[in-house]
């Protein structure tokens, strides 16, 4: 089984590569004798060069293995040795995109904010399009949601699907770590569901957004909650500027909305097999509409005083909507 190559090994390999390509002497920090990691010279030849990000699968990079983000907005020219190491780690993360999109999203953030892409690409947009196959705006949305995903997956235990031995070892470590403190159950969140939590994350932080997702998962009994469910709940929460909630209030509000959502989904399934329930939902919708239209005439009068033309245009739209609704009424 292959092993993760540390930064020192990356430097050693890179020096050997450059020396071989330039025809000069190979100068490396050789590993200890008998390690079996290199040839007789202590460095891999071009033919023996260790595979870093392609070929035989390696253990997946974990989030904590990625370096911290470093802002270098004015960076130009060739990458330094430190940047080369960070860039290679980012490239390995990009290959893991399908298995752990949030790890790749952090790698995108590192490469973008450090301008590491400048070695191989003319622009950040070209880099994002080639590596992530998405628009720049979508990339930044994923970067924002990655923080929530990482919190939900803590501690993330992700292995390549083709690396059975590595997965088995990881599972054994989990079973044997009886002394490890118990934490929240690791959960998986889709990119779209993470994006649906944007308002919560912006108002209360990534940790609160992760807690909200956990609350919904617990109430609905699902290990992975859909983007549709999360969006339906988040859109009913007040923004912080309108009503600031405490951590407990936010959690309770999310739980209550999740319970309502669960009941709605159950009713929808029942309606699919119960014709009377399906018709009852239309009646309930009409009841809600009738209640919400109280004061409509007064609202029109006020609007007409401000802008008569626009108010009449809106009233015309209202008549059209009501006419279409009346066409759908049962003939009884």
């Amino acid at each position: 089984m292959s092993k993760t190559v540390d930064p020192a090994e990356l430097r050693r390999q890179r020096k050997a590569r450059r020396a071989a390509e330039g025809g000069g002497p190979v100068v490396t920090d050789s590993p200890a004798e008998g390690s079996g990691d290199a040839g007789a010279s202590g460095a891999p030849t071009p033919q023996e060069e260790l595979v870093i990000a392609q070929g035989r699968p390696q253990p997946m990079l974990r989030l904590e293995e990625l370096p911290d983000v470093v802002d270098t907005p004015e960076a130009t020219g060739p990458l330094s040795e430190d940047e080369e190491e960070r860039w290679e780690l980012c490239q390995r993360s990009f290959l893991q995109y399908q298995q752990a999109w949030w790890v790749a999203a952090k790698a995108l953030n590192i490469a973008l904010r450090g301008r590491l892409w400048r070695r191989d690409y003319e622009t950040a947009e070209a880099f994002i399009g080639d590596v992530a196959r998405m628009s720049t705006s979508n990339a930044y949305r994923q970067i924002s949601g990655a923080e929530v995903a990482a919190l939900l997956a803590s501690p993330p235990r992700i292995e390549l699907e083709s690396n059975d031995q590595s997965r088995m070892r990881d599972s054994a470590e989990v079973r044997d770590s009886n002394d490890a403190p118990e934490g929240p159950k690791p959960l998986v969140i889709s990119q779209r569901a993470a994006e649906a939590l944007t308002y919560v994350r912006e108002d209360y932080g990534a940790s609160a957004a992760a807690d909200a997702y956990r609350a919904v998962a617990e109430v609905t009994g699902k290990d992975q909650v859909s983007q549709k469910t999360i969006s339906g709940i988040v859109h009913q929460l007040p923004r912080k500027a309108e009503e600031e909630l405490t951590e407990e209030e936010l959690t309770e509000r999310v739980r209550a909305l999740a319970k309502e959502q669960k009941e709605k989904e159950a009713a929808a399934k029942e309606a699919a097999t119960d014709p009377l329930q399906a018709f009852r939902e239309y009646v309930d919708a009409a009841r809600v509409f009738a209640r919400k239209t109280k004061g409509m005439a007064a609202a029109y009068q006020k609007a007409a005083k401000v802008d008569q033309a626009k108010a009449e245009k809106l009233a015309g739209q209202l008549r059209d909507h009501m006419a279409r609704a009346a066409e759908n009424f049962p003939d009884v």
Side-chain angles (χ1 to χ4, degrees):
M1 184 176 65
S2 60
K3 64 180 181 179
T4 303
V5 182
D6 61 23
E9 178 63 10
L10 292 177
R11 282 196 296 271
R12 189 182 68 75
Q13 294 176 40
R14 190 158 46 251
K15 288 179 182 178
R17 247 192 340 260
R18 290 170 180 166
E21 292 170 355
V26 176
V27 180
T28 66
D29 299 324
S30 300
E33 292 183 7
S35 65
D37 288 341
S41 66
T45 66
Q47 291 76 22
E48 299 169 332
E49 194 172 298
L50 295 179
V51 175
I52 302 301
Q54 295 178 350
R56 184 182 175 193
Q58 295 187 8
M60 294 280 280
L61 279 174
R62 300 185 188 281
L63 192 69
E64 60 268 20
E65 292 181 275
L66 289 172
D68 292 334
V69 175
V70 177
D71 279 315
T72 53
E74 304 300 326
T76 58
L79 300 185
S80 66
E81 284 195 359
D82 179 66
E83 287 178 323
E84 287 279 359
E85 293 166 15
R86 296 163 69 84
W87 178 233
E88 289 188 36
L89 287 173
C90 290
Q91 288 178 308
R92 284 183 57 190
S93 297
F94 302 146
L95 296 180
Q96 296 172 190
Y97 183 80
Q98 293 299 324
Q99 287 77 23
W101 65 269
W102 57 92
V103 177
K106 181 177 180 181
L108 276 174
N109 198 23
I110 295 168
L112 286 170
R113 292 175 61 177
R115 289 176 59 84
L116 304 181
W117 49 262
R118 70 185 187 276
R119 191 191 71 176
D120 299 327
Y121 299 92
E122 293 294 327
T123 65
E125 290 76 13
F127 155 64
I128 292 172
D130 182 44
V131 170
R133 301 290 195 275
M134 65 179 70
S135 66
T136 301
S137 59
N138 191 19
Y140 279 107
R141 283 198 299 271
Q142 290 195 18
I143 288 171
S144 298
E147 188 177 2
V148 176
L151 289 171
L152 289 168
S154 76
R157 298 190 176 276
I158 310 151
E159 300 290 347
L160 284 173
E161 289 301 320
S162 57
N163 197 340
D164 292 336
Q165 186 174 357
S166 186
R167 284 206 316 277
M168 289 170 63
R169 184 189 70 250
D170 189 70
S171 299
E173 290 172 356
V174 174
R175 291 194 301 270
D176 295 339
S177 59
N178 295 326
D179 297 331
E182 293 186 3
K185 174 185 176 182
L187 295 173
V188 176
I189 185 172
S190 69
Q191 297 172 17
R192 292 187 179 278
E195 292 173 11
L197 286 164
T198 295
Y199 288 163
V200 178
R201 179 182 53 78
E202 289 178 346
D203 287 349
Y204 296 98
S207 180
D211 288 342
Y213 185 85
R214 289 192 186 98
V216 176
E218 182 180 342
V219 172
T220 59
K222 298 178 179 178
D223 290 334
Q224 185 169 356
V225 186
S226 70
Q227 176 266 338
K228 182 179 180 180
T229 298
I230 295 297
S231 294
I233 292 171
V234 170
H235 289 164
Q236 296 183 70
L237 292 172
R239 294 304 302 267
K240 191 173 183 179
E242 302 168 356
E243 179 186 357
E244 184 171 355
L245 304 173
T246 65
E247 182 178 340
E248 293 76 13
E249 289 172 339
L250 178 62
T251 300
E252 288 305 312
R253 191 77 63 91
V254 168
R255 286 182 178 278
L257 291 171
K259 183 179 179 181
E260 291 179 9
Q261 186 75 14
K262 182 180 180 181
E263 293 172 350
K264 287 180 181 179
E265 292 177 359
K269 289 182 179 179
E270 181 183 354
T273 57
D274 183 355
L276 282 175
Q277 176 61 27
F279 183 60
R280 186 177 296 113
E281 289 188 359
Y282 283 113
V283 175
D284 290 340
R287 183 184 298 113
V288 171
F289 171 76
R291 185 172 64 249
K292 288 186 175 181
T293 55
K294 182 180 179 181
M296 183 189 300
Y300 168 77
Q301 294 296 334
K302 291 180 180 179
K305 291 180 180 179
V306 175
D307 191 321
Q308 180 72 32
K310 287 185 178 180
E312 290 181 354
K313 183 177 180 180
L314 288 171
Q317 293 176 0
L318 176 61
R319 282 192 294 270
D320 290 340
H321 293 321
M322 294 295 291
R324 282 195 292 271
E327 290 175 358
N328 295 325
F329 287 170
D331 185 12
V332 293

